[in-house]
Amino acid sequence: MTAQLQGIGMTSRRTRMRLVQRLREAGIESDRVLDVLGEVPRHIFLDEALSHRAYEDTSLPIGYGQTLSQPYIVARMTELMLAHEPERVLELGTGSGYQTAVLARLFDEIYSVERIKPLQDRARDRLRQLHARNVLLKHADGGMGWPDRGPFDGIIVTAAPVEIPQELLMQLRDGGVLIAPVGEEDQILVEVTRRGDRFDHKELEPVHFVPLLGGVVR
């Protein structure tokens, strides 16, 4: 185990359990999700200078204009997805790899796309440290999804498009669910379920994410 993995988040179970308790009080009900949030060492997904803030319920910068999502929203999106019991899940926006690591402990196959290569490289290293062997990563424009690997039982989008790309919806299997923040300044978390050629939209709660941008960064 690396020195970073042996840091504050691994040794201070009390610190993590305080975060789990805050998430429970905020409305997260799934014990499975809360257990995973208590296990995954969030501090390793941050630069060392910010690791002391890892178990606050807040988003934190990871460079390139991107953020490590607030634990509550990671738990909320994961809980929503878990309710549908998918096996194959596509994540758009690997970012730090934290949400990826959480998903990898709950679902059989994770496919994760990131457009910023240095972030993907760091995420790959962290996921290897955690032995997340059921994760496949791709460097590409996340808005296009990963059609070669579809269809997917579930899709989680970790940055906000103005509207959900149709080509992304078409990568859902029948009965599959997509969870994404949608909008510009006023964003809403949306759950979309595919019913044959119909897509049922359900608006859930206000959120704030970085925008989903096109193109790749090497």
Side-chain angles (χ1 to χ4, degrees):
M1 186 177 289
T2 68
Q4 194 177 20
L5 272 173
Q6 290 175 326
I8 181 172
M10 290 298 283
T11 56
S12 179
R13 178 170 174 78
R14 184 179 302 173
T15 301
R16 289 204 208 178
M17 290 305 101
R18 280 200 298 265
L19 173 60
V20 168
Q21 184 58 35
R22 285 196 296 271
L23 295 176
R24 193 183 296 277
E25 291 169 357
I28 303 302
E29 298 179 354
S30 170
D31 287 336
R32 288 179 65 192
V33 170
L34 290 169
D35 285 348
V36 169
L37 267 288
E39 292 167 0
V40 175
R42 190 172 185 250
H43 66 282
I44 75 166
F45 297 92
L46 291 163
D47 288 339
E48 192 171 345
L50 285 172
S51 62
H52 67 287
R53 299 188 60 194
Y55 301 98
E56 297 175 10
D57 188 20
T58 187
S59 60
L60 294 166
I62 57 172
Y64 300 89
Q66 305 301 299
T67 59
L68 171 61
S69 291
Q70 176 190 6
Y72 168 79
I73 201 66
V74 170
R76 177 74 169 127
M77 294 175 78
T78 304
E79 182 176 61
L80 289 166
M81 185 60 70
L82 187 62
H84 297 271
E85 300 186 347
E87 295 181 2
R88 307 178 76 248
V89 175
L90 171 66
E91 176 191 37
L92 297 185
T94 312
S96 69
Y98 177 64
Q99 172 80 78
T100 321
V102 170
L103 296 173
R105 296 195 179 208
L106 291 165
F107 307 114
D108 291 346
E109 300 174 30
I110 307 300
Y111 301 84
S112 188
V113 179
E114 174 55 55
R115 72 181 191 89
I116 301 172
K117 190 66 164 61
L119 289 183
Q120 185 197 51
D121 290 341
R122 291 177 206 165
R124 178 180 284 107
D125 289 343
R126 291 157 176 161
L127 292 165
R128 281 175 179 161
Q129 289 180 54
L130 297 175
H131 308 292
R133 297 188 177 92
N134 58 335
V135 176
L136 205 58
L137 302 178
K138 181 180 182 181
H139 178 230
D141 184 340
M144 303 300 291
W146 200 337
D148 293 348
R149 294 286 180 168
F152 300 98
D153 305 315
I155 298 176
I156 281 186
V157 185
T158 64
V162 177
E163 58 183 38
I164 300 169
Q166 186 65 23
E167 59 264 38
L168 199 53
L169 292 173
M170 297 308 295
Q171 292 173 46
L172 279 176
R173 69 162 180 81
D174 191 10
V177 64
L178 178 146
I179 298 165
V182 178
E184 293 182 272
E185 290 187 10
D186 296 320
Q187 298 174 2
I188 192 81
L189 191 63
V190 173
E191 182 179 274
V192 182
T193 305
R194 183 170 190 174
R195 309 289 187 196
D197 293 329
R198 191 179 83 244
F199 294 91
D200 296 337
H201 288 64
K202 182 179 179 183
E203 294 188 351
L204 300 170
E205 61 191 82
V207 289
H208 182 70
F209 280 75
V210 296
L212 180 67
L213 300 175
V216 296
V217 176
R218 298 187 182 280

